[in-house]
Amino acid sequence: MAAPEEQELSQAQTEKLLQFQDLTGLESMDQCRRTLEQHNWNIEAAVQDRLNEQEGVPSVFNLPPTRPLQVNTTDHRVYSYIVSRPQPRGLLGWSYYLIILPFRFTYYTLLDIFRFALRFIRPDPRGRVTDPVGDVMSFIHSFEEKYGRSHPVFYQGTYSQALNDAKRELRYLLVYLHGEDHQDTDEFCRTTLCSEEALTFINTRMLFWACSTSKPEGYRVSQALRENTYPFLAMIMLKDRKMTVVGRLEGLIQPEDLINQLTFIMEANQTYLMSERLEREERNQTQVLRQQQDEAYLASLRADQEKDRKKREEQEQKRQEEENARQSILAEERRRRTLEEEKERKSECLPPEPPLDDPDSVKIVFKLPNDTRVERRFLFSQSLTEIHDFLFSLKETPEKFQIVTNFPRRVLPCLPTEEQPNPLTLREAGLSRSEVLFVQDLTDD
């Protein structure tokens, strides 16, 4: 008997299982399945919770802590482009740089010490993601308030939703992490990200997801992508069936340089994307073919079942007809035996035939429906019923009949009725000493 983990999954659950493995990079399919089952197959909640645990944050869904899952960032073929800050020029520039350097070093050192100490006193609130969509929408709103609405179209959803859509649509996903406190962030947003050429290029070629690292959702993604400085951009695509970071751009990059670098990354990985598209098309064709085969099999099965049903109905109908015929034969046989017994009983009850020289006797010749003639003598004093009983006892006589005189034509009332419970005698019926009577068959009537 199969264990619960080995029971067959539905098609939707299988797709979610593969999506979850691609989004998280977890190799164990059993562990992926257990995680999804603990989240009632909610892939969004499962991915969020796994990323929550990356920095040791307690699970939102109270799951046991496991190894953090993330997008594949370990590929040695990842293209990295870092723009360094410009060096001071001239005597005045170097003088200003040397004067400011001690203050800057002291400021950032004290800030880091303060943040490190604060972490022991109060946990970083960014470590717990409770409203990822709200974090993204809050960043988009604050970005538009500060830099205007002329910017690349932000993906209005969570990071894992953006990954899932990019994978499903086989598109590039450009991720921007917004460092609010960095000195180059403001210039990058105004001169590069909001430039007409940059936003046109991004909008027409890829999905664009962004969030501030001061928000829990952005902080979680920054921990997964492990940026070195800001501004930070990461190009992600489906590669080798996993969502993989294929390019990293860090530092204050200019619009033209940004477009050139993104174009280079896309051209360098175009073959992987085409391969994934061909493979997906082949899988889809295989799935369509399998579905058509399944439909053909089901149609054939239904046709066979319908044929079997009709055959069973025909057999049942034939059996019923045979049973009805058998019952009819039995009923006819019972009726025939009953009729023979009744004829025999009537024959035994008949009075003896009077002698030939009896002056009170009547000779009657009966003409039967089969053209045979029967002759017998009766007494004038006997009832017409005895004539009927005599004829009934004959084997040649039909089951139902009536006795008719020839001229004048009249039917003799041989059987008792409500109006005449005692049938007439032969004398009362007006019969002569010699008569010819006709037996008329009433069986069909």
Side-chain angles (χ1 to χ4, degrees):
M1 184 174 182
E5 291 77 13
E6 297 175 353
Q7 293 177 354
E8 186 177 356
L9 298 175
S10 66
Q11 183 176 357
Q13 290 175 336
T14 302
E15 292 178 357
K16 288 184 178 181
L17 187 63
L18 295 175
Q19 290 176 6
F20 181 77
Q21 186 184 40
D22 290 340
L23 293 175
T24 58
L26 186 62
E27 296 180 356
S28 174
M29 293 294 288
D30 291 338
Q31 189 171 356
C32 290
R33 178 173 178 173
R34 285 195 298 271
T35 303
L36 285 170
E37 287 177 343
Q38 288 172 323
H39 291 81
N40 294 323
W41 293 93
N42 186 330
I43 188 171
E44 175 64 24
V47 172
Q48 290 176 9
D49 203 32
R50 301 295 291 181
L51 292 176
N52 273 346
E53 296 173 0
Q54 182 176 354
E55 294 299 314
V57 178
S59 170
V60 174
F61 298 89
N62 297 321
L63 296 178
T66 56
R67 182 171 61 88
L69 306 175
Q70 56 191 12
V71 173
N72 182 17
T73 59
T74 60
D75 194 335
H76 66 279
R77 294 167 292 182
V78 174
Y79 176 77
S80 182
Y81 183 78
I82 300 176
V83 180
S84 302
R85 291 190 56 79
Q87 297 294 328
R89 295 183 179 179
L91 180 61
L92 183 61
W94 277 104
S95 300
Y96 177 78
Y97 176 76
L98 293 174
I99 294 173
I100 295 298
L101 181 61
F103 295 98
R104 180 180 297 173
F105 177 78
T106 303
Y107 170 76
Y108 283 110
T109 301
L110 292 177
L111 182 61
D112 291 340
I113 294 173
F114 174 75
R115 288 176 176 173
F116 181 77
L118 187 62
R119 187 175 299 176
F120 289 97
I121 301 174
R122 181 175 64 89
D124 193 340
R126 298 177 301 174
R128 185 179 182 85
V129 180
T130 57
D131 185 14
V133 177
D135 294 341
V136 174
M137 298 305 298
S138 176
F139 163 72
I140 295 175
H141 180 70
S142 62
F143 185 95
E144 291 180 344
E145 283 186 345
K146 188 172 184 179
Y147 303 108
R149 294 182 174 273
S150 179
H151 56 74
V153 177
F154 291 113
Y155 184 93
Q156 298 186 6
T158 66
Y159 174 62
S160 57
Q161 287 175 336
L163 287 173
N164 192 43
D165 284 353
K167 179 186 177 182
R168 185 179 66 254
E169 299 172 13
L170 289 179
R171 298 180 64 185
Y172 293 100
L173 173 64
L174 184 62
V175 175
Y176 167 60
L177 294 179
H178 184 80
E180 296 181 354
D181 298 332
H182 198 275
Q183 55 189 342
D184 294 331
T185 297
D186 188 69
E187 182 180 352
F188 172 78
C189 291
R190 293 185 187 279
T191 62
T192 301
L193 198 57
C194 294
S195 65
E196 186 66 27
E197 56 267 35
L199 70 90
T200 301
F201 181 85
I202 294 173
N203 288 342
T204 55
R205 287 171 172 82
M206 61 197 69
L207 296 177
F208 183 61
W209 184 89
C211 191
S212 172
T213 55
S214 64
K215 304 292 183 181
E217 175 73 350
Y219 177 73
R220 181 184 64 176
V221 177
S222 72
Q223 297 300 302
L225 299 180
R226 298 189 296 273
E227 76 281 7
N228 297 312
T229 186
Y230 298 98
F232 174 80
L233 294 165
M235 182 74 89
I236 302 176
M237 62 171 286
L238 183 63
K239 183 177 180 181
D240 298 330
R241 296 191 177 184
K242 292 183 179 181
M243 295 302 289
T244 305
V245 176
V246 295
R248 299 166 62 94
L249 306 179
E250 300 180 78
L252 183 57
I253 187 171
Q254 298 303 313
E256 183 178 357
D257 197 13
L258 172 64
I259 294 174
N260 291 336
Q261 295 300 324
L262 293 177
T263 302
F264 175 78
I265 295 172
M266 293 171 65
E267 291 177 350
N269 292 276
Q270 189 66 24
T271 55
Y272 295 103
L273 201 60
M274 291 180 62
S275 175
E276 292 290 346
R277 285 173 179 162
L278 291 175
E279 185 177 351
R280 178 171 295 182
E281 183 178 355
E282 183 178 352
R283 287 199 304 269
N284 291 338
Q285 290 177 352
T286 302
Q287 184 176 1
V288 170
L289 179 60
R290 185 180 297 111
Q291 183 177 358
Q292 292 174 348
Q293 292 174 343
D294 291 342
E295 291 176 353
Y297 169 75
L298 291 176
S300 176
L301 181 61
R302 286 193 293 269
D304 292 341
Q305 292 174 344
E306 180 66 16
K307 188 182 300 182
D308 292 341
R309 185 187 65 80
K310 290 183 177 179
K311 184 177 180 180
R312 289 194 302 270
E313 289 181 352
E314 292 175 356
Q315 291 175 345
E316 178 62 22
Q317 183 178 0
K318 183 178 179 181
R319 188 196 65 79
Q320 188 66 37
E321 291 175 353
E322 292 175 350
E323 178 65 19
N324 292 339
R326 190 179 68 85
Q327 293 296 332
S328 298
I329 293 174
L330 292 176
E332 178 63 22
E333 182 65 22
R334 287 194 297 269
R335 188 192 65 79
R336 186 185 61 79
R337 286 198 304 268
T338 301
L339 180 61
E340 290 178 353
E341 291 173 357
E342 182 66 16
K343 284 178 176 289
E344 186 176 351
R345 188 181 64 80
K346 291 288 186 182
S347 178
E348 293 175 353
C349 294
L350 287 174
E353 184 178 5
L356 183 62
D357 55 354
D358 191 332
D360 195 34
S361 65
V362 179
K363 185 181 73 172
I364 302 177
V365 177
F366 299 98
K367 189 173 182 180
L368 301 180
N370 60 0
D371 293 333
T372 60
R373 293 174 178 268
V374 178
E375 181 180 330
R376 192 182 189 280
R377 291 184 302 278
F378 297 88
L379 296 175
F380 275 112
S381 59
Q382 290 179 332
S383 172
L384 291 175
T385 303
E386 294 183 5
I387 297 179
H388 185 276
D389 292 344
F390 166 73
L391 291 173
F392 180 81
S393 65
L394 300 178
K395 293 183 179 180
E396 299 84 356
T397 309
E399 182 179 357
K400 295 180 181 180
F401 60 91
Q402 64 183 8
I403 303 172
V404 182
T405 62
N406 186 20
F407 185 83
R409 179 178 175 81
R410 60 192 178 95
V411 177
L412 298 179
C414 299
L415 298 177
T417 61
E418 291 183 1
E419 294 81 4
Q420 193 174 16
N422 297 316
L424 301 175
T425 63
L426 273 63
R427 182 177 289 109
E428 292 172 344
L431 298 182
S432 61
R433 289 183 62 85
S434 179
E435 290 284 348
V436 177
L437 300 179
F438 294 86
V439 178
Q440 185 176 358
D441 190 354
L442 299 180
T443 304
D444 295 337
D445 297 338

